[in-house]
Amino acid sequence: MEVALLPLPTSLRAKLFAAGHFTTTTLLFLTPLELAREAQLSNEEALSVLKLVPRSSSSSSSDGIISASSALDGAKTAWDLLEYEKNRKKIVTSCAELDMILEGGFCPKEVTEICGVPGVGKTQLGMQLAINVQIPVKLGGVGGHAIYIDTEGSFMLERALQMTKASIDELVLASSLSSPMDDDLIQQLDIDTYLSHIYLVRVHDPTEQLAVINNLPNLLKEHNQVKLIVIDSITFNFRQDFEDMAGRTRLLAEMGQKLAKIAEEHDLAIVLTNQVTMKPSNNEISRIVPALGESWSHACTNRVMMYWIDTQRYAHVVKSPSLQAATAAYDIDECGICSAKNKSNNKSNNNENKSNNKRLKLDEEAAAADSNNNPAHFC
Amino acid sequence: MRGPGAVAVSKLRVQQKCGLGCPVLNAFLSGGIPCGTVTELVGECGSGKTLLSLQLLLSVQAPVMRGGLQGRALCIYTEGRFPSRRLFELATFACGHADGLTTTCKGQANVEGESVIGKVLVEKRIWNGEHERGNVLGDRVLSRRENDQIGRRPEGLPVDRAAGKENCFFGADGGNNRRVKRDCDRYSEENDGYFCGKRRLGGDSQRLPVQAAGRGSQPDSVAAKERLHCCLNARRLCEKVLVKEVQTIDELLHLLSNEILQLLRHRFLTPVKLIVIDSVAALFRADFDTNKTDLTKRASLFFRLSAKLKQYAQQFNIAIVVTNQVTDCFDEVQSDQEYMEHLMTSGRFVRPALGLSWSHCVNTRLFLSRIPQQDCSMLHKFQGHVRHGSEVVEHCNSGGGGEGLDGRRMQVVFAPNLPQDSCAFTVTRRGMQGVQLFGAGGMSFCSHNSIPQNHDT
């Protein structure tokens, strides 16, 4: 801590500066008498200065690095943040490749947006995360609960049940290999327990959605173990006819800020799904872009785009302050999200793929029609 | 301002499903069309969208143990006149009309077998006896004893006669049935020309042969009564289908937020359990240009309609089915634009109408397609070899030259609870029936195109 920040009269401060004391660390090891002699202060003055020097500052920062947190209330040094980030647990996706590009999974304190065409697996990923956040701490998981805000009506208990069962079976198998299960763990790995820790909120119009988000802090007080909030989707209610587009932008921005604040304060991960829309561009080729416009794209920390190439699903990190732009293939089976089974990785020749896609497909069709020797295409 | 409360998922109940009236298709869709969500049926004309809608309008009325939801159905029809004759025809089959004995696919596969007779009897019994009266008397589950009796039906009898006898047989012990039978007799006595007057409902007259059956001759009178009985039940089924013809989207939105809401809230009617909109594409075909402002307006209307539908679906726990048309995609140049999978029907590529925005508005999309001719021959070939996946494929390769079979396919394009898969079905006068062709796995036919978006960084 700097001497300049101590509540001292200017004359005293000037004397301390003159004696070469700019930070409190140098003052820590001095007795009042020594300080009085060095800085030419009276003994009383020296004593009052030393009383103001916070004793704890040396213990809080290791290696004598000065903590600025007391200087600016609530602020942390970059080092502290790094330490925090190293230790935090991420919510895994159940797909190793996807985890890899996300460097371990979905992070607490961050808002991540998943975009994609219908059917690519946004909802499935959301449900999978709501299940995976509950992996007990003993097994290396986060061990938290989840709030699932469903605006599209696609959350189906039937599917959640199926995925939970699969997830628990896998965990039981994994944990029984390493160490014997204790009662506590057995109780945690129960379908009912799992499902009772997902809190579902159904939302039907934009007003309700805003109300739910405003009410989240209360909800979190009630369920204080929540480590993940999924909103599926943030978009649906805001694509109805809004007369006032500027108003919509404002509402969205406000919502984004609130979510970011909640994520930070409650130390939880927020995952939003977003729809996509066609954006016509100059050369008559429309592009697929995430919905809600340009200003919304600043609202979330990370953005992951999900898309198809032929019959393979891919996820691509579009925007992130800390992650590299990378692509991973994934699949969805009856157990939920999983690694791509088909290992023929055509990541390298995407461009080629893109342009030849249709032609290839036509060729395939023709071949299938000719010889019928491709079982995948015979009908 | 406090939003809706959070519910722990463990406290939820599994969504009910509205069956399709065919066990194979029901199994394919893991029970049918789920309540609380919006399901879209996409297909070219003549692919069976309307037929399936009609079938659903009837099957939703079946008791829960038969895969229905025991509710009323509402059909919002936007394309010309509602096909009421077809609905009645389907209804007579659903009631187990002697000519329409096979209400299940299983029945069709082996008409000769005694299991069929048993099956049909169960079917008839439930539909005839309990179905319509169910509201008054509640569900009745077939007891073990009754089942056994059905199992012991005479095997050698021709199906028709067995069915005739069965009527008397069950008339004696089924209270419900007796009542229906009494009504039936009364109608035939009092209103001799009753069905003449209602003939337009029935459409082709040989299906309603009350008079043609010759009421005088003794052996035929049982059959005639039987037919009358079916007609009566079919009429009751049809009476529980509300049809509203709507031309524009504004009209529909108005209807949804006023009359339909009142209907759904009605306390004393059998609850509406299914709303069908056939088709949603027709609502948006007119009135909208392809310039940017109109497209934006159209898209926002999609979301408004969909939000309303989803809200009712969840609030009243009903199943919602909308049908949509397809548009051809012939623009090979614009392959960069392809955001969705290509779907194939009758040997050409198509794409669901109304674009990307609309596809965000539905929870489940089912695609109905026709199978191109040469593949039909395979379908024909395989009706015999059902359960061996690998074998089927082998036979397929040796492909033969059969023709003329009406082969079609239902494909899950996306759904929150189902894998992408497809199932073959046929369309007959009895309606839509699944064919259990490919026992092992689906035909991963749907091909998804790339989204080049931001990918080449």
Side-chain angles (χ1 to χ4, degrees):
Chain A
M1 185 173 177
E2 307 204 3
V3 168
L5 294 170
L6 293 175
L8 290 172
T10 334
S11 58
L12 263 183
R13 209 179 289 157
K15 279 181 184 168
L16 285 174
F17 287 161
H21 295 291
F22 292 101
T23 64
T24 51
T25 21
T26 52
L27 295 172
L28 276 174
F29 309 104
L30 294 175
T31 62
L33 275 177
E34 285 167 340
L35 182 61
R37 203 181 316 125
E38 250 183 59
Q40 293 159 355
L41 306 171
S42 72
N43 283 353
E44 291 76 29
E45 280 171 336
L47 193 61
S48 66
V49 169
L50 288 186
K51 270 182 187 161
L52 285 170
V53 174
R55 293 280 148 186
S56 58
S57 66
S58 65
S59 59
S60 78
S61 67
S62 51
D63 310 331
I65 291 170
I66 304 140
S67 162
S69 53
S70 49
L72 185 59
D73 204 23
K76 290 196 183 90
T77 61
W79 176 259
D80 289 345
L81 288 176
L82 187 65
E83 285 292 306
Y84 166 77
E85 279 190 16
K86 262 193 227 160
N87 295 329
R88 72 182 162 177
K89 289 207 174 108
K90 300 188 176 185
I91 305 164
V92 295
T93 59
S94 301
C95 165
E97 289 79 18
L98 207 54
D99 284 343
M100 203 155 76
I101 64 164
L102 295 167
E103 294 183 357
F106 285 80
C107 301
K109 299 204 182 196
E110 282 181 14
V111 181
T112 309
E113 185 188 80
I114 312 167
C115 324
V117 292
V120 79
K122 304 184 293 290
T123 302
Q124 302 291 321
L125 181 55
M127 281 161 74
Q128 184 75 62
L129 290 171
I131 291 163
N132 285 356
V133 73
Q134 301 183 47
I135 297 174
V137 183
K138 269 186 196 159
L139 301 178
V142 178
H145 301 179
I147 292 179
Y148 196 103
I149 300 174
D150 181 25
T151 70
E152 300 203 352
S154 285
F155 184 94
M156 293 193 71
L157 180 58
E158 182 190 339
R159 180 70 177 141
L161 213 64
Q162 199 180 21
M163 283 163 73
T164 311
K165 211 176 273 175
S167 168
I168 286 177
D169 286 351
E170 201 178 312
L171 285 176
V172 167
L173 190 69
S175 63
S176 63
L177 287 177
S178 59
S179 64
M181 308 255 289
D182 50 22
D183 290 347
D184 198 25
L185 203 58
I186 290 172
Q187 203 201 333
Q188 276 174 349
L189 291 177
D190 175 66
I191 294 180
D192 267 356
T193 320
Y194 256 59
L195 292 181
S196 64
H197 291 165
I198 303 175
Y199 309 105
L200 182 71
V201 188
R202 289 227 152 98
V203 165
H204 299 112
D205 62 44
T207 327
E208 268 183 20
Q209 189 171 334
L210 290 172
V212 167
I213 287 168
N214 284 337
N215 192 37
L216 271 179
N218 292 331
L219 202 59
L220 289 170
K221 231 175 267 169
E222 217 172 296
H223 307 291
N224 52 10
Q225 279 177 295
V226 169
K227 287 287 166 212
L228 170 77
I229 299 176
V230 181
I231 305 181
D232 177 34
S233 69
I234 196 90
T235 325
F236 179 74
N237 286 319
F238 285 90
R239 290 183 80 179
Q240 301 177 42
D241 40 358
F242 264 82
E243 298 291 319
D244 175 16
M245 286 311 262
R248 186 184 90 158
T249 312
R250 212 165 48 238
L251 281 178
L252 283 170
E254 197 187 323
M255 196 160 68
Q257 274 175 352
K258 275 195 186 121
L259 289 175
K261 190 165 168 240
I262 288 167
E264 178 65 40
E265 279 179 0
H266 293 85
D267 190 25
L268 47 81
I270 294 188
V271 176
L272 315 173
T273 66
N274 191 358
Q275 303 176 343
V276 289
T277 181
M278 302 286 275
K279 187 180 184 183
S281 64
N282 306 332
N283 48 0
E284 287 191 1
I285 291 177
S286 304
R287 283 165 64 87
I288 293 198
V289 294
L292 297 182
E294 200 57 40
S295 60
W296 171 254
S297 57
H298 300 289
C300 32
T301 329
N302 307 310
R303 174 172 268 177
V304 179
M305 188 87 189
M306 296 165 92
Y307 54 89
W308 293 96
I309 293 178
D310 287 338
T311 53
Q312 181 63 57
R313 296 168 156 106
Y314 288 92
H316 178 70
V317 178
V318 181
K319 171 204 159 186
S320 168
S322 53
L323 304 176
Q324 285 182 348
T327 308
Y330 68 97
D331 266 345
I332 295 175
D333 64 4
E334 64 272 16
C335 305
I337 308 280
C338 61
S339 300
K341 292 182 185 78
N342 174 12
K343 289 295 172 195
S344 66
N345 226 337
N346 46 1
K347 250 185 275 178
S348 52
N349 53 358
N350 265 335
N351 282 326
E352 204 181 307
N353 219 331
K354 194 166 62 188
S355 51
N356 290 343
N357 216 346
K358 177 117 180 202
R359 202 169 313 132
L360 277 175
K361 201 166 299 154
L362 285 171
D363 289 345
E364 273 170 29
E365 285 304 336
D370 275 344
S371 59
N372 290 329
N373 55 2
N374 186 352
H377 287 269
F378 65 79
C379 195
Chain B
M1 179 156 72
R2 226 186 125 87
V7 192
V9 172
S10 55
K11 296 213 176 83
L12 294 180
R13 296 178 62 193
V14 176
Q15 269 134 326
Q16 284 181 299
K17 304 272 177 70
C18 172
L20 276 63
C22 160
V24 176
L25 290 177
N26 281 353
F28 172 63
L29 296 176
S30 92
I33 308 288
C35 289
T37 64
V38 177
T39 304
E40 184 192 44
L41 303 176
V42 188
E44 64 173 325
C45 9
S47 59
K49 304 183 299 277
T50 301
L51 176 65
L52 184 53
S53 313
L54 295 180
Q55 210 164 318
L56 283 166
L57 291 175
L58 297 174
S59 65
V60 71
Q61 302 176 41
V64 177
M65 63 170 282
R66 291 286 308 140
L69 295 171
Q70 207 163 0
R72 191 179 280 272
L74 170 65
C75 178
I76 296 166
Y77 200 74
T78 67
E79 307 195 59
R81 269 195 77 65
F82 180 75
S84 48
R85 292 169 167 208
R86 185 73 172 113
L87 182 71
F88 185 80
E89 190 185 22
L90 289 173
T92 55
F93 282 114
C95 291
H97 191 282
D99 285 336
L101 268 172
T102 47
T103 44
T104 67
C105 296
K106 203 172 168 191
Q108 196 187 28
N110 46 355
V111 175
E112 308 295 319
E114 51 113 19
S115 70
V116 176
I117 302 173
K119 184 87 187 159
V120 169
L121 299 188
V122 176
E123 193 93 13
K124 283 168 82 74
R125 171 175 177 66
I126 290 157
W127 276 93
N128 291 350
E130 286 156 26
H131 176 309
E132 277 302 310
R133 295 281 163 177
N135 299 321
V136 187
L137 299 163
D139 275 352
R140 253 185 94 233
V141 181
L142 219 62
S143 75
R144 176 183 280 268
R145 190 180 61 86
E146 285 165 333
N147 261 325
D148 287 346
Q149 280 175 342
I150 292 162
R152 280 192 262 110
R153 295 303 303 157
E155 300 176 23
L157 280 178
V159 176
D160 211 348
R161 271 182 63 203
K165 271 194 138 181
E166 172 267 336
N167 199 11
C168 310
F169 181 79
F170 279 116
D173 76 322
N176 305 335
N177 220 340
R178 197 157 43 215
R179 194 183 301 191
V180 173
K181 203 157 127 52
R182 201 178 55 214
D183 282 358
C184 177
D185 290 342
R186 204 183 64 221
Y187 268 117
S188 56
E189 283 158 19
E190 291 172 6
N191 295 334
D192 202 354
Y194 185 75
F195 281 102
C196 301
K198 292 285 175 189
R199 175 98 68 88
R200 60 193 169 82
L201 251 185
D204 95 26
S205 61
Q206 64 173 24
R207 285 296 121 211
L208 288 172
V210 184
Q211 310 85 343
R215 294 174 66 235
S217 68
Q218 196 53 36
D220 278 352
S221 73
V222 176
K225 225 168 233 180
E226 158 81 4
R227 289 200 191 97
L228 184 55
H229 189 140
C230 285
C231 290
L232 212 64
N233 279 321
R235 186 189 155 196
R236 292 206 172 121
L237 280 178
C238 290
E239 278 173 351
K240 285 222 172 167
V241 177
L242 288 170
V243 181
K244 175 78 185 169
E245 282 165 18
V246 165
Q247 264 73 42
T248 65
I249 177 67
D250 293 328
E251 207 180 323
L252 177 57
L253 285 173
H254 180 81
L255 201 68
L256 275 176
S257 44
N258 298 295
E259 283 92 337
I260 290 180
L261 185 59
Q262 277 170 17
L263 173 70
L264 294 176
R265 283 199 180 134
H266 207 295
R267 278 160 197 276
F268 304 112
L269 287 175
T270 322
V272 173
K273 278 294 184 191
L274 171 76
I275 298 183
V276 173
I277 302 182
D278 184 22
S279 77
V280 79
L283 291 171
F284 292 99
R285 201 189 288 133
D287 299 344
F288 292 97
D289 207 353
T290 49
N291 60 40
K292 195 166 175 249
T293 42
D294 267 24
L295 284 180
T296 320
K297 184 162 172 271
R298 195 178 77 149
S300 69
L301 283 173
F302 291 161
F303 282 94
R304 224 169 94 185
L305 174 63
S306 156
K308 257 283 168 305
L309 293 177
K310 284 179 180 173
Q311 186 189 342
Y312 290 166
Q314 281 175 9
Q315 200 175 336
F316 301 102
N317 192 27
I318 51 183
I320 296 200
V321 174
V322 299
T323 66
N324 191 2
Q325 300 161 346
V326 293
T327 52
D328 277 305
C329 44
F330 22 39
D331 40 355
E332 202 171 333
V333 212
Q334 292 176 333
S335 71
D336 263 10
Q337 266 200 39
E338 306 297 350
Y339 50 85
M340 295 289 291
E341 61 283 358
H342 289 289
L343 300 164
M344 197 165 170
T345 181
S346 304
R348 64 202 163 100
F349 287 113
V350 293
R351 175 196 300 163
L354 303 183
L356 181 58
S357 317
W358 174 254
S359 43
H360 280 299
C361 291
V362 294
N363 300 111
T364 303
R365 172 169 276 172
L366 302 178
F367 180 63
L368 305 179
S369 62
R370 303 182 110 163
I371 299 176
Q373 204 61 53
Q374 79 260 21
D375 294 331
C376 273
S377 61
M378 294 167 211
L379 188 74
H380 190 56
K381 248 181 128 50
F382 290 133
Q383 274 190 326
H385 325 253
V386 179
R387 270 168 209 117
H388 316 285
S390 54
E391 206 179 308
V392 166
V393 173
E394 267 179 40
H395 279 280
C396 166
N397 292 341
S398 69
E403 71 280 303
L405 196 89
D406 189 16
R408 293 138 187 274
R409 205 159 48 87
M410 178 191 279
Q411 176 185 331
V412 177
V413 181
F414 57 80
N417 62 333
L418 298 170
Q420 288 183 323
D421 202 350
S422 64
C423 175
F425 68 88
T426 58
V427 169
T428 60
R429 293 188 57 232
R430 294 176 177 87
M432 187 179 274
Q433 286 163 346
V435 180
Q436 205 173 21
L437 259 186
F438 309 101
M443 311 161 281
S444 56
F445 181 78
C446 71
S447 37
H448 294 273
N449 211 337
S450 66
I451 297 173
Q453 164 71 9
N454 285 336
H455 189 61
D456 33 357
T457 46

